Amino acid sequence: MFAVYVLLGSYTVTIPDFFKIVINHLTGGEKIPGATFIVMEHKLPRAMVGTLIGVAFGLAGALFQTMLRNPLASPDIIGISYGASAAAVTAIVVFGASGAVISGAALGGALGVAAIIYAISRKTGSGAGSRGNAAGNRLILAGVGIAAALHAVVNFLMTRADIRTAADALVWLNGSLNSANWERTGVLAIALLILVPAVIALAGPLRMLELGDDAAAGLGIKVNATRLGLVLTAVGLAAVATAAAGPVAFVAFLAGPIARRIVRKPSLPASALTGALIVLAADFFASNIAPVILDGTVLPVGVVTGALGAPFLLWLLLTSNRKEA
């Protein structure tokens, strides 16, 4: 999919020309007019950012869903993405921010909301007989409640903004790769170089937590510390991806269940690759196929992933109800 994204589309590039463009760009050789700019400044950084945020969202969703043993437990559902959205829209509408300031606000908003959700779930679960301070339904319900409140905040801010500012905010809220560049690629790569080793280190204890808190504790796992580490890592992955491209809807929610159906078991690597596949395929459709169908309209990638996620959520709920019946 990465190769299709870079080589095909509204501007096609042959494989020999692609390698010639990249090698000449790195060595300072002769540039191909037009083609070098399109590949090196548009297609390649956009594909790299799409891949990296897909990996981040896929891992974040799979960590939450596996840890809480609930397919609804993804950053989209439990309020992490809404925290980033509310902070970013506030920065755009109230302070007139742009560029890196919006990304920084989104990162801070996601982390702040995650801390609030975790604190609420600990407090409500502190009674007798409760195990796993931030586990299961408590964390999900706290996240859904906060997400609803933040959604109202975003709607209020959008009604108070002028048309141009509201349009800028709406593009960010839908999730878009239009701002992809090499600087953003580098920041994402550094973040993943820090967070992916943390995922690898926590993968073993995560498998123990799937057995239940009591069984994991009996196997020598520090349940609360492990769960806190998983929450911090998953929130970090979702936050950096959202800060880079906006809250690309449902990627974190879709990647884990689709990967599980492909490999027949929970798999973090498969979830990461599925997340990248979803983002690249959706943006390829939005940038190259949608304009043909919609008379030149180019869609943000989040519109396409949102259109995929809504029916998948309904299907997941229907199949869950049938299993319970």
Side-chain angles (χ1 to χ4, degrees), residues 113-168:
V113 168
I116 294 171
I117 293 170
Y118 187 79
I120 292 174
S121 63
R122 281 174 58 92
K123 185 175 181 180
T124 57
S126 60
S130 66
R131 288 189 177 273
N133 289 331
N137 292 335
R138 294 193 304 273
L139 191 146
I140 295 172
L141 290 174
V144 169
I146 290 176
L150 292 174
H151 183 64
V153 171
V154 170
N155 286 339
F156 171 77
L157 290 172
M158 292 292 284
T159 62
R160 304 295 296 176
D162 61 73
I163 294 177
R164 181 175 297 179
T165 303
D168 293 340

Side-chain angles (χ1 to χ4, degrees), residues 191-229:
L192 290 183
L193 284 175
I194 296 170
L195 292 168
V196 170
V199 173
I200 295 171
L202 291 167
L206 177 62
R207 286 194 290 270
M208 301 298 181
L209 282 180
E210 288 187 82
L211 302 174
D213 290 357
D214 291 335
L219 293 170
I221 300 297
K222 296 180 179 179
V223 174
N224 290 339
T226 300
R227 184 172 285 112
L228 178 60

Side-chain angles (χ1 to χ4, degrees), residues 15 35 47 52 60 94 136 145 159 169 175 179 183 195 235 252-253 284 289 304 310:
I15 294 175
L52 293 173
V94 178
T159 62
S179 60
E183 180 182 0
L195 292 168
V235 169
F253 172 69
F284 184 83
I289 300 175
V304 179

Side-chain angles (χ1 to χ4, degrees), residues 248-265:
V248 184
F250 287 127
V251 176
F253 172 69
L254 292 169
I258 291 174
R260 183 176 300 198
R261 281 159 177 77
I262 293 172
V263 301
R264 305 294 182 183
K265 63 179 181 179

Side-chain angles (χ1 to χ4, degrees), residues 111 195 227-237:
L111 296 174
L195 292 168
R227 184 172 285 112
L228 178 60
L230 287 166
V231 169
L232 290 175
T233 303
V235 169
L237 287 164

